[in-house]
Amino acid sequence: MNQLILSLICGIFIGGTCGYLGNLMLSKRMALVAGPLGHLALPGIALALIYGFDVSLGAFPFVILGIILIWLFEMRTRLPMEALVAIVFASGVAISFLFLPTEEAETALIGDITKVSLKETLITAALCILIFILIKKIYSKMLLINISEDLAKAEKVDVKKYNLLYLFAIAILVALGVKMVGGLLTAALVAIPASTSRNLSRNLFQYNFLSIFFGALSAILGISLFKLTSLPSGPLIILTSTIFFLISLIFKK
Amino acid sequence: MKEDLILKVKNLSVQLEGEKILENISFEVKEGEVLTILGPNGAGKTVLLKTLLGIFPYKGEIIWKKDIKIGYVPQRLPFIKNVPMTVEEFFKLKDVSKKETENILKKIGLSEVLEKEVGKLSSGQFQRILIGWALSKDPQVLLFDEPMTGIDIKGEESIYSLLGKLKKERNLTILLVTHDLSVVYKFSDYVICLNRYPICQGKPREILTPEGLEKLYGQEVKFYQHTHQEL
């Protein structure tokens, strides 16, 4: 099948689902957590590139490790989230560059969705659909937890269970995201479309719809621009997303 | 537990991060009663409500009537402004149908805000919405944590007349945290004066004598020096 179509399918699924998840993360001011997770995935990505297996597969265990680390740090210390983020961020990048071959560095850092195989595309699409359904199922309760954990507990919501499912969704999507935009840019994949949507929305329906829409559209346009210019696709996707965000500032409600 | 009891609390103590917040609290609440929890800032009133809701770990006994449904009205919800959400959608978070939402909004005198963004309501409107939200799905008990700021006096009076009206209609039991003595006289059946440990408890007119109040608030200055902000 045409390589461009495969890339576009991957992009639409990853971009759209990340946008949807990002809008939940934004409600808890947690959007930046995807950043250190993406960076921490770098050693895994490096291993995958060296030994020639799927980048997302390499990233996933490291993302899980990252989630456990951030969770432990938050319990153990009273340091602000930014400090924890910076520590995890730097360590991930540092470790990966101990053994990452220079010629693979670009793919690891900014991703490459333009060479995906049919099999990868099918797996990516299936995972995205599953995660999308999962997010849709937990969305109401998760949003309530993000607004106020106390209120959620008073409503007998099992906060631990929902948080675990939520983190699981984040882990899978970050692992998929690094394939598209690399360890450095994954945070933007969840943060920017949701922020754009936040600027333009007056209700939850619009907020959800536009988050998904801008996530998918940025991927489509970014990959198309790659085809035209041969510049790296990851940065093009993110910059397209940034342009939508800037435009949204003009129309901000 | 006796039949008409909704809640029984015995020797309740709460310790958070190594600090004793509440000690030796015991009281009972009957169906349809209004219980007021009174006390200076940092006395642990909000902690008591949250402990009753099962949010904090505790020692002692908290026994609710079987299968009881509780509605909780928190002091504030600062993060709600991060989310673009209409009042209707806010109620939908706990699966309240549009029809029930409309009915409740009518009751609390806010029919016009159904499609308005929650973050753009006035503080008085928002507090009514929180009460309405807590009352949806027909709870038998309402736990109401009065905000310290943000509501003007006129608005505040109408909140209590609203609560009184709703209580009559639904035979609600209400547990109330407040700073306002006039509310206690007018509105409640039973008062607990609290400053980490119980200072006094009983019917408002028996308890809220000048001596009783001095006992409660006379310690306030001392406590300000030793305690952190109310949780």
Side-chain angles (χ1 to χ4, degrees):
Chain A
M1 207 194 283
N2 189 322
Q3 180 64 57
L4 179 66
I5 292 175
L6 291 182
S7 306
L8 283 173
I9 292 173
C10 274
I12 290 168
F13 275 102
I14 298 175
T17 319
C18 282
Y20 191 26
L21 180 78
N23 108 7
L24 260 188
M25 295 176 80
L26 204 61
S27 69
K28 208 182 183 179
R29 296 168 185 251
M30 230 181 98
L32 280 178
V33 173
L37 291 179
H39 302 313
L40 207 71
L42 278 170
I45 301 169
L47 286 175
L49 290 171
I50 291 170
Y51 293 103
F53 59 94
D54 191 286
V55 166
S56 295
L57 205 62
F60 185 67
F62 283 84
V63 176
I64 295 285
L65 177 73
I67 283 178
I68 295 170
L69 274 180
I70 289 175
W71 180 70
L72 277 179
F73 283 168
E74 231 194 336
M75 302 249 289
R76 282 264 162 190
T77 73
R78 291 186 160 272
L79 288 171
M81 199 58 153
E82 295 93 288
L84 304 179
V85 164
I87 295 166
V88 175
F89 168 105
S91 315
V93 178
I95 293 170
S96 60
F97 273 82
L98 289 182
F99 57 88
L100 182 65
T102 327
E103 60 271 24
E104 307 278 21
E106 186 181 309
T107 310
L109 291 176
I110 59 174
D112 188 0
I113 196 75
T114 61
K115 296 187 193 78
V116 283
S117 66
L118 176 62
K119 194 175 129 208
E120 277 177 283
T121 306
L122 289 176
I123 294 172
T124 302
L127 278 174
C128 284
I129 291 170
L130 280 177
I131 295 298
F132 189 90
I133 294 170
L134 173 68
I135 300 169
K136 199 165 162 49
K137 268 199 145 20
I138 65 171
Y139 192 90
S140 288
K141 298 290 179 269
M142 207 55 229
L143 188 58
L144 189 57
I145 293 169
N146 287 354
I147 290 169
S148 160
E149 229 176 275
D150 291 343
L151 200 58
K153 281 180 182 164
E155 290 297 322
K156 306 260 182 277
V157 174
D158 186 344
V159 174
K160 277 193 189 136
K161 183 184 101 183
Y162 279 94
N163 268 328
L164 197 68
L165 289 171
Y166 177 55
L167 287 175
F168 177 72
I170 293 176
I172 297 268
L173 278 182
V174 168
L176 291 174
V178 293
K179 192 187 299 194
M180 186 151 93
V181 296
L184 276 189
L185 300 175
T186 300
L189 215 51
V190 293
I192 301 178
S195 303
T196 307
S197 171
R198 176 73 188 89
N199 281 342
L200 300 175
S201 308
R202 262 179 285 180
N203 57 47
L204 269 187
F205 178 78
Q206 292 171 355
Y207 185 40
N208 287 335
F209 177 78
L210 291 177
S211 299
I212 298 163
F213 175 76
F214 283 117
L217 186 65
S218 305
I220 295 171
L221 293 178
I223 292 167
S224 308
L225 282 173
F226 154 79
K227 195 73 187 164
L228 292 173
T229 61
S230 293
L231 291 167
S233 60
L236 285 175
I237 293 169
I238 299 305
L239 287 173
T240 310
S241 195
T242 310
I243 289 169
F244 284 128
F245 175 74
L246 291 175
I247 295 171
S248 80
L249 288 175
I250 302 168
F251 297 100
K252 195 170 186 296
K253 292 280 184 318
Chain B
M1 201 158 78
K2 275 181 273 172
E3 279 240 324
D4 59 340
L5 280 188
I6 283 262
L7 169 67
K8 188 177 169 179
V9 174
K10 210 174 154 191
N11 297 328
L12 177 71
S13 296
V14 178
Q15 200 169 345
L16 296 175
E17 293 175 13
E19 196 184 353
K20 276 185 182 156
I21 310 287
L22 292 171
E23 263 189 282
N24 256 325
I25 316 273
S26 297
F27 62 92
E28 292 179 346
V29 186
K30 288 195 192 104
E31 210 169 330
E33 260 187 350
V34 177
L35 170 94
T36 303
I37 301 158
L38 199 65
N41 287 333
K45 306 184 295 291
T46 297
V47 172
L48 177 56
L49 278 197
K50 288 188 183 177
T51 307
L52 294 177
L53 284 166
I55 292 170
F56 295 133
Y58 60 89
K59 283 188 186 137
E61 278 180 44
I62 297 175
I63 306 169
W64 286 100
K65 192 177 168 180
K66 223 180 153 213
D67 298 324
I68 195 124
K69 266 165 115 182
I70 306 170
Y72 171 51
V73 186
Q75 273 190 10
R76 12 176 212 123
L77 289 180
F79 288 130
I80 206 164
K81 293 208 156 93
N82 294 348
V83 187
M85 177 166 58
T86 63
V87 170
E88 184 189 348
E89 288 168 329
F90 181 43
F91 277 79
K92 240 198 216 154
L93 292 187
K94 64 182 246 192
D95 301 320
V96 182
S97 68
K98 186 173 180 181
K99 205 173 165 210
E100 194 189 343
T101 307
E102 282 171 337
N103 282 338
I104 287 172
L105 291 184
K106 206 187 266 174
K107 281 226 166 83
I108 58 175
L110 284 175
S111 296
E112 73 282 4
V113 302
L114 186 71
E115 280 167 32
K116 206 167 167 187
E117 226 180 289
V118 174
K120 294 198 172 129
L121 299 171
S122 74
S123 57
Q125 284 176 327
F126 182 59
Q127 199 188 22
R128 279 162 178 266
I129 290 296
L130 285 182
I131 292 174
W133 198 86
L135 284 176
S136 60
K137 302 242 149 173
D138 286 315
Q140 296 118 294
V141 189
L142 193 68
L143 268 58
F144 181 79
D145 200 351
E146 180 193 81
M148 279 178 281
T149 50
I151 317 288
D152 53 73
I153 296 296
K154 205 177 136 211
E156 203 166 315
E157 270 177 341
S158 63
I159 283 291
Y160 287 103
S161 60
L162 171 70
L163 276 181
K165 195 182 84 187
L166 293 167
K167 176 183 135 50
K168 252 188 219 157
E169 276 176 24
R170 304 185 175 216
N171 192 31
L172 265 181
T173 307
I174 300 179
L175 273 69
L176 184 78
V177 161
T178 186
H179 311 261
D180 186 349
L181 287 174
S182 67
V183 169
V184 183
Y185 278 117
K186 267 190 268 178
F187 194 56
S188 60
D189 303 300
Y190 198 83
V191 187
I192 296 176
C193 307
L194 194 69
N195 204 340
R196 303 207 158 197
Y197 50 92
I199 306 279
C200 54
Q201 56 193 78
K203 293 200 163 69
R205 290 192 192 283
E206 291 164 11
I207 297 302
L208 298 179
T209 55
E211 298 80 41
L213 288 175
E214 201 189 316
K215 216 169 145 195
L216 177 63
Y217 286 97
Q219 294 173 326
E220 191 171 5
V221 179
K222 201 173 104 198
F223 259 91
Y224 264 124
Q225 294 166 345
H226 290 283
T227 58
H228 305 278
Q229 249 189 332
E230 189 160 5
L231 286 169

